[in-house]
Amino acid sequence: MRSLRDDEHEAGDPGGTVVGVGIRPVTQVTRSGVGQASLRWKPQIDRSEVRSLLSYLRACLSREAVHTHEVRAEHVDSDTCACLPTGPELLFSGARETLPLHPESARVLRLSLRRGQALRYGYPLVVVGEGTDRAALPLLTVDVRVVDDLEAATGAYDPTGAQGPLVRPVGPPDINCALLERLGITDPEDLFELRTRLRTGAPDTVRRPAAVAELAAKVRTLLSRLEIERVDDIDPLGTRGLPRVMDPGAHNVAVVFRAGPGGQFDTDDPEPGGVEGILADLDPADRDGLHPDQVGGTALESLLGGAPEDVGGPGEGEGDTPPISATALTQSQYEVVRSAMREQLTVAAAPPGSGLTDLVDALVRTAVGHGQRVLVCAAGEDDVRDVLRGAGTAPAHPVVRVGGSRHRAAEIRLLDRILTEHTNPAADDGDPPPDAEEAARHWRDLSEAWNRIQHVWRAMDTMASGGHALARLAVERVHSIAQGWDPDRLFTPERGGPEYWLHRAERARSGGLTGLQHRTAIRREMGVPTDSDHLVRLCAVARMESEWRAAVDRRTGCAPLGRLTAELSEAGERHRRAGAACLRAVAEPRLRRGRAAIENRLETLNWHHGSGWPGLPSLLDTLPAWVCRTDQARALPPTPGLFDLVIVAGAERTRAAELLPVLYRSRRAVVIGDPAHPGPTSALEPDEERRALAASGTAAEQLEARGLRHGSGSALRAAYKAAPPLLWLDEYHGASPELAEIASQRCYGGRVAVHAAPDLTGRGDVDWRDVAGTCEAAPGASYINRDEAYRVLVVVDELDAEVPPGTTMAVVAPTQPQVALIRRLLAKRVLRHDVRVGGADLLGRDGDTVDLTVLSPMLAKGSPAIAERRVRRKSHLWSTVFTRTRRLVVVGDRTYWSGDDGPLGDLLAGASDPGTAPDPVRTALVERLREVGTSVLTRQTVHGWTVDLVVGFGARRLLLLLDRESHGRGLRRLVARGEALNRATGDPVVVVPAWRCLADRESLVEEILSAS
C-alpha cells in the first residue's frame, strides 16, 4: 500500500537527531528510584469518616453474605443445616407465630449464636448441582431469632421445655438469592419482581411477618418459573423430614440453617476469596486490618479524597518512564501506562476487545523492568489466566499466583522451576554485574526507540491535524471562488499576500484620511469595491487564505506518510527488542540474588499450614509480580504500600468494598473496566442498606457522590469519581467494523474506533431471520418469547451444518427465562459445534471473541412496556454482542425493530454508513476520474471494510481511502486498514488526502493513475 504525498518536495530529516519528549518533574520516588505520584491539593482524610465508611461496608457485606449463603448438600442434617421433623409447615403458611426447635435444630441455633451467624428458616429444600458441586438451598427463607424471656413472661408465647427453644420470624419472607444466583438469575429487577409477588397479599405482616398468601400455589409457580423439578409434591400441611436421597429438585422439607460470615472457628484465619477475608481487611480493630491512620501514601488515599503525602527521598529524577511491552502499544495504551507510573490513581475505560490483556501485560512488564513491585487483581479466574498467559510470552517473566490454600501447589511448582532454571550462585554484593555496560546499552536503546516512536506520533498528529484543517478550508475556498472571490487571483506575489491585504482592509474600514488612502489602494490594485459589505468579505477571504497557506506549509513540511509509517514500524520493533533485553537484564540477576528468599518461602509452603504470611514479604523483592482475584487480597500481607503498583482489571464487575483493601496495599493504582457494564448486583433490600447507613452514621449523599454506596455502581465508578478524567482504550480489535461502529456510537459516545482484519469469508457480517413472535410475562417474573426461542433452535441447526469445523458459536438473549428455554431446547440436539448460551455477560471478557453469535432480542409488537424498558437499557448486552463477534445472526421481529432508535434499528437502517449524505470532496474526485475514462464505484464494502472509491482500469482496480482524520491515531488506523486490504485482495490501495480532491485535482488524478 502507498500514500499519495502532499507534495513532491520532502522537508525535514527523519533520520536526524531525535528531539527528547516533554520532561515533567517527579515528586516522589519509590524504593526503586522511579517516580511515584504527582501531588494534588486535596483536603486531608477525616479518619472518623473512614471508620464510619468501613463500618457501613462491613455491615452491608455481612448482611449480603447471609442472603447469598450456600449450604453444601453433604452438610444437610449436621450442625450447619437441620431438617425439621415431619408435620405441617408453620411460619410461611401462617399457622403459628413461632417455631419450636427439636434437638438437632437447637444445636444449629447454639452454634449460630456462638459464631455470630444468622439463623434462617427455609422451605421447600431445593437440591441443585452435581457431584461435589451439589448444594441444598431452600426456595423461601426468613431470618428467625429466639423468643426471649420477656416475650415468654408476658404470655405472648408459650414455650415448653419438651419442644425445645422457640424461634420467631424476623422480617418478611424472601426468595433465596443464593439459589437464584445458582440458576443464573442476577438481574436486580427480576429479584425485585419475585420478592414483590411473593409478599403480595400477606395476611398478617405484624404478628406473622413471614406468612405467605396461597403458599402452595406460589411455591409451585416459582418452581415452574425457575424450571426446578419437584421431587415431592409441595404440601405445606405435611412436610417430610430428612430426604432419604438428595436427588436434584424441590423436596417438601423445611430446614433451619446457619448463614453468613463466621462459619470458621475463632482461631482460623479467614480464607482468601471469601467474604470473611474482605471483612477482616476492612476491620480497623483487627491487628491485620485496614488502619485509617496509615492510609496516607497509599492509592486508597486518592479514592477517599485525601491529599497524597510527599514521601520524598533520595534519587529523585526527571522524565517519563519508557514502557516495556511484548506487543505494539497503541497511543491510548501508552497514556494509561504513563499515568500509572506517575499518578497515585489512574482510571481507564476498556470496552470489550479494546486490548485490556495486552495493556495489563505491558503495565506488569514496565513496573517489573523498572524495579517495582506490582500486583494484578482480576475479577475472575479467566482474567487471572489471561494475566499468566501474557506473562509467558517471550521474554517470559515469573508472575506468582496467590489466593489461598488451593493455590499453594501452583506456587510451589513455580518456585521449584525457578530454582532449577537459575542455579548460578549469587554474585558478591561488592562486585558489579559483569554485563553492566550491556544492560546500560539496552536501556539507552529502549529510551531512544521510545523517543523515536513518540516523535513519529507527533509528526503524524501534525500531518493529520493539518490535513483535516485543509479539507475544511478547501470547501470554503471552492465556495469563495464560486462567488467570485478567487484567493489565487486576489493575492499574487506582485500584489502582496493575504496578511498584507487583511491589514489594509481592516484599516480601510476606519474613517479619516488613513481609511480613505487604504480604500483607494484596494480599488486601484485589487479592483474590489470598498463599501462596507465588500470590505468585510475581503477580510474574511484574506483570513481564510492566510490560514490555508499556513496549513499547506505545515502539511507539506511533514515527511511523507509512507516514510513515517516505516519509521514507526522499525522503531516499534527496536523498542520491543530493547524492552525484552532490559527485562532479562533486570530479572535474571534479581532471581540469582534472591535464591535464599525463594528457598525460605518454599520451605514455609511445605511445612507451615497455619495463618499469617511467613516468608512472603522477603520474597517480594525477588519476585515482584503477583496476581490474584480481587476478593483474594487477604492472601497477601495487609501492609500499607506493600506494592508500588496495583492493577485492578474487570473493575466494572468488582464491588467498591473489595477495592479498598487492594488500594491500601499499594502506593499507586490503575483501575480498569468497561463503563457500559451496570456493575455488580446486590441482594440487600433497601431497608437493610438504610439501617447500615444509620448504624454507621454515614450520609447517603456523601457515599453516592463518591460512588461508594453499596449496590450502586462498581469499583470502576468509585475510582472515576475520585480521579477523573477517564482514560480510554479507543480501538476495537477482532470485531466486525459495521457492528463495532454501532456499539461505539450507542454505548461509548463514539469514542472507540475499529481496528480489525478484513473478513475473507465473504459471507457478510449481519444476517437477520425474521420471526413475529410474542413477548409475554414468564411465570413468576421477567419475560419470554417462545416463538423466537424455537426459531433460534432451527437457525442454530442450520448454522451448525453450514459453518466449517472449529467455528466458535454463541447464543445470547437478554432475559434469564429466554436463556433457560433456549438452553433447554439446544440440550436435546446433537450438534457438531460447541454452542455457548447465556445473557449479557456471556461475552463480557476481553478474550471472549466468537466467530458467530445468534441473538434473540425477544421484543416484538405488543411487548409490555416494562419488558421494552428492561431490554433496551441493557447497554452491556449490545456492547458485548456487537464487539465480540465476527458474524451476527439476529432472530427477531424485523418490523418491530425497523426504525428503532437503538443498535438494532441502526443495524437495519445502515445508520453506521456515512455515505448517504452529499460529499463534495468525493464527488469532485469521482467526476474528474470519470472524465479521464476510468470506472468509479463509491462506498463499496470489501471484506467487511468500506472503501471510499474503487477505480477500475479494465480488468484491474485500485482501492482509494480518503484521509479525513483529525489526529495521528486515526491516520495510523487508516494506513493499517489499507495495508490489510492490500494483503487480502492483492489490489493496490492508496490513501488520498481529502483536501487535494478539491484543491489539486489534476495532479492528484495523475498520481492515482500512475499508482495503478
Side-chain angles (χ1 to χ4, degrees), residues 22-35:
I23 302 299
R24 176 176 165 187
V26 178
T27 57
Q28 296 183 2
V29 174
T30 64
R31 62 179 62 85
S32 62
V34 178

Side-chain angles (χ1 to χ4, degrees), residues 107-383:
R107 186 171 69 250
V108 177
L109 166 64
R110 289 192 296 271
L111 199 56
S112 70
L113 295 175
R114 186 184 309 167
R115 297 191 180 180
Q117 291 182 284
L119 184 67
R120 309 205 90 193
Y121 168 80
Y123 168 84
L125 185 66
V126 178
V127 178
V128 295
E130 298 179 355
T132 58
D133 191 41
R134 282 196 311 166
L137 306 170
L139 175 66
L140 306 184
T141 60
V142 67
D143 285 7
V144 293
R145 67 174 178 84
V146 179
V147 175
D148 57 34
D149 295 337
L150 178 60
E151 292 174 315
T154 59
Y157 304 102
D158 184 21
T160 61
Q163 291 180 317
L166 291 177
V167 294
R168 59 168 297 180
V170 181
D174 196 11
I175 302 290
N176 193 337
C177 298
L179 177 61
L180 296 181
E181 188 173 346
R182 272 280 190 143
L183 299 175
I185 303 176
T186 58
D187 193 320
E189 295 193 25
D190 279 342
L191 177 58
F192 175 79
E193 288 188 21
L194 289 170
R195 282 172 168 167
T196 300
R197 298 191 183 195
L198 174 66
R199 297 166 184 173
T200 299
D204 185 358
T205 58
V206 178
R207 297 179 60 84
R208 292 175 171 82
V212 177
E214 301 178 356
L215 174 62
K218 286 188 175 180
V219 168
R220 294 188 187 106
T221 301
L222 285 172
L223 292 175
S224 173
R225 153 71 174 89
L226 301 177
E227 299 184 351
I228 299 173
E229 295 183 359
R230 286 178 278 174
V231 178
D232 303 325
D233 184 34
I234 301 302
D235 182 12
L237 297 178
T239 64
R240 295 176 51 193
L242 175 67
R244 290 189 297 272
V245 180
M246 298 294 287
D247 291 330
H251 298 256
N252 193 41
V253 175
V255 296
V256 173
F257 62 99
R258 295 184 286 118
Q264 298 172 311
F265 290 104
D266 295 337
T267 56
D268 292 340
D269 193 58
E271 176 72 10
V275 68
E276 289 88 354
I278 301 174
L279 292 173
D281 268 340
L282 295 177
D283 188 0
D286 192 301
R287 181 190 63 181
D288 296 320
L290 192 158
H291 299 289
D293 55 349
Q294 296 182 6
V295 169
T298 70
L300 181 57
E301 186 176 23
S302 286
L303 185 74
L304 299 180
E309 295 182 1
D310 187 2
V311 298
E316 294 187 358
E318 294 184 338
D320 290 332
T321 302
I324 298 176
S325 174
T327 58
L329 282 180
T330 66
Q331 198 164 351
S332 60
Q333 289 174 329
Y334 167 64
E335 288 173 357
V336 177
V337 175
R338 179 178 183 272
S339 178
M341 300 302 290
R342 300 167 65 92
E343 303 294 341
Q344 194 174 52
L345 181 60
T346 299
V347 188
S354 58
L356 172 61
T357 303
D358 291 341
L359 172 63
V360 171
D361 185 60
L363 285 165
V364 172
R365 290 173 184 267
T366 301
V368 170
H370 289 85
Q372 298 193 17
R373 299 174 177 178
V374 58
L375 169 65
V376 182
C377 293
E381 291 295 335
D382 289 336
D383 304 297

Side-chain angles (χ1 to χ4, degrees), residues 471 474-479 917-934 936 938 948-949 951 960 962 964 992-1006 1008:
V475 175
E476 295 182 13
R477 287 184 98 242
V478 170
H479 182 67
D919 185 357
V921 172
R922 186 169 57 240
T923 301
L925 182 58
V926 169
E927 290 176 352
R928 183 57 189 151
L929 285 170
R930 286 174 177 168
E931 288 174 1
V932 298
T934 64
V936 183
T938 63
D948 291 287
L949 300 177
V951 182
L960 300 186
L962 294 181
R964 309 169 187 266
V992 178
W995 66 276
R996 293 190 64 194
C997 297
L998 294 174
D1000 190 19
R1001 284 197 307 169
E1002 298 298 329
S1003 59
L1004 176 62
V1005 169
E1006 291 180 5
I1008 291 174

Side-chain angles (χ1 to χ4, degrees), residues 699-710 712-713 717 721:
E701 296 78 10
Q702 184 180 17
L703 292 180
E704 190 66 36
R706 293 184 176 180
L708 293 173
R709 192 165 183 179
H710 187 81
S712 175
R717 180 172 180 263
K721 292 280 187 178

